[in-house]
């Protein structure tokens, strides 16, 4: 975005706030921004346990991860970008189909200032301050890099609240408080509570029953993270967090949960073959634009059943894989990778339960849950495909 565009986009008061914020940062001064100090403030506790004062009804928000929009768009369903002053470009890079769905319905998305990744230190605090945000929302996954780079101190010294939320690390634990927290910051408590009611209703349909399962009765699963993302690399897997935890909550016994305490890690293909588990699930998305060699299943809003099955068969036919029990019995599945950082993972929870225990969960209808999610909460319509079994 050019300087001219930025100037015409923001009112004078915001440009004055930006100049003041930048000056404050440069001088490493602890004084808060004057304009922010005059606004009604609320005190909140974020998902890192930090107490932060935030402008009530914040209307200039920066998203430190663009894919936070999966969840936060719920709160402003009809105008999801109305309060977004800038966002990280990860959705544009790694989930372009979803980004195009947003851009088609909300063309203003294309004009928003973009940021690099907060996970590798490319997020510019100086650029964020120049946009005069009321608050910066950052994924909890980025807190270590935020500390390492001094990001937290810089925002605090500039008087700009930085709030950590979590839709990824512990999705089953932190989704509800994250949505309620942002609902409070946005002044959209009613919308937040409506989603939380839906989320609790649909997740508990599975979790209460699955929790009764003893370990010996749980179906063991190898969960391949980003299957086919790098054709020559196998395998990344989920540990005892993120979708690995979702699979466990659905009654599965995630092989990676016993190996990795956190999000996951890499394992040798030989180990996967040696275990030869009865069920294999891989996550996939359309990464062809960011990773041209990707052979992942292109789940998402722009795919179709033919493309999905072709890619799933390609993964099942990797060297040595046709001999595996899961492939031979067609207990070989794929699911949308981006569920891993979206409140819609509640649908994946139901899908896993149906795959593993079709008779016990025959009353569960994840297709209907996904449809209701889009009809009631998602800013973009339901298209494409989000999970599949090898045919």
């Amino acid at each position: 975005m050019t300087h001219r565009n930025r100037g015409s986009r923001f009112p004078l008061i915001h440009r004055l706030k930006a100049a003041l914020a930048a000056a404050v940062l440069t001088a490493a001064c602890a004084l808060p921004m004057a304009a922010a100090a005059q606004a009604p403030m609320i005190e909140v506790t974020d998902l890192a346990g930090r107490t932060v004062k935030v402008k009530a009804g914040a209307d200039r928000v920066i998203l430190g991860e663009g894919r936070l929009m999966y969840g936060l768009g719920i709160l402003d369903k009809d105008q999801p970008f109305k309060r977004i002053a800038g966002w990280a470009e990860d959705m544009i890079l790694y989930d372009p189909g979803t980004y195009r769905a947003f851009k088609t319905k909300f063309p203003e998305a294309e004009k928003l200032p973009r940021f690099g990744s907060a996970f590798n230190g490319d997020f510019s605090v100086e650029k964020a301050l120049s946009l005069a945000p009321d608050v910066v929302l950052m994924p909890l996954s980025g807190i270590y890099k935020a500390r390492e780079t001094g990001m937290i101190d810089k925002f605090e010294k500039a008087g700009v609240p930085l709030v950590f939320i979590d839709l990824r690390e512990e999705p089953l634990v932190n989704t509800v408080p994250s949505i309620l927290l942002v609902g409070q910051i946005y002044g959209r408590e009613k919308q937040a509570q409506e989603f939380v009611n839906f989320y609790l209703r649909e997740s508990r349909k599975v979790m209460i029953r699955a929790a009764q399962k003893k370990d010996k009765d749980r179906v063991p699963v190898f969960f391949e993270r980003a299957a086919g993302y790098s054709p020559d690399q196998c395998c990344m897997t989920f540990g005892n967090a993120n979708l690995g935890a979702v699979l466990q909550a659905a009654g599965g016994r995630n092989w990676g949960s016993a190996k990795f305490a956190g999000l996951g890690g890499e394992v040798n293909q030989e180990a996967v073959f040696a275990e030869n588990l009865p069920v294999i699930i891989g996550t996939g998305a359309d990464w062809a634009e960011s990773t041209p060699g990707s052979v992942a299943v292109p789940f998402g809003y722009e795919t179709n059943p033919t493309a999905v099955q072709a890619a799933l068969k390609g993964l099942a036919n990797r060297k040595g894989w046709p001999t595996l029990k899961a492939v031979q019995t067609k207990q070989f599945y794929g699911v949308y990778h981006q569920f891993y950082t979206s409140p819609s993972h509640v649908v994946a929870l139901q899908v896993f339960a149906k795959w593993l225990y079709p008779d016990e969960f025959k009353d569960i209808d994840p297709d209907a849950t996904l449809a209701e999610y889009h009809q009631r909460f998602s800013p973009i319509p339901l298209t494409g495909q989000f999970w599949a079994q090898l045919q």
Side-chain angles (χ1 to χ4, degrees), residues 1-10 85 108-114 127 131:
M1 170 170 285
T2 65
H3 176 73
R4 178 181 158 196
N5 286 341
R6 186 163 60 236
S8 61
R9 177 177 173 80
F10 304 118
E108 62 270 28
E110 193 170 20
K111 300 177 182 177
L112 288 175
R114 299 174 185 178
K127 181 177 179 178
L131 298 173

Side-chain angles (χ1 to χ4, degrees), residues 238-240 248 253-261:
F238 289 98
N240 199 31
Q248 297 267 103
R253 176 149 50 85
N254 178 35
W255 181 79
S257 293
K259 309 292 182 184
F260 303 99

Side-chain angles (χ1 to χ4, degrees), residues 210-252:
Q212 305 304 313
K213 289 188 175 298
K214 298 178 180 178
D215 187 64
K216 66 180 181 61
D217 297 327
R218 290 173 172 258
V219 177
V221 179
F222 176 67
F223 204 164
E224 186 177 6
R225 176 176 174 164
Y229 180 83
S230 299
D232 299 328
Q233 181 182 9
C234 176
C235 299
M236 293 186 291
T237 192
F238 289 98
N240 199 31
N242 197 261
L243 287 182
V246 174
L247 177 62
Q248 297 267 103

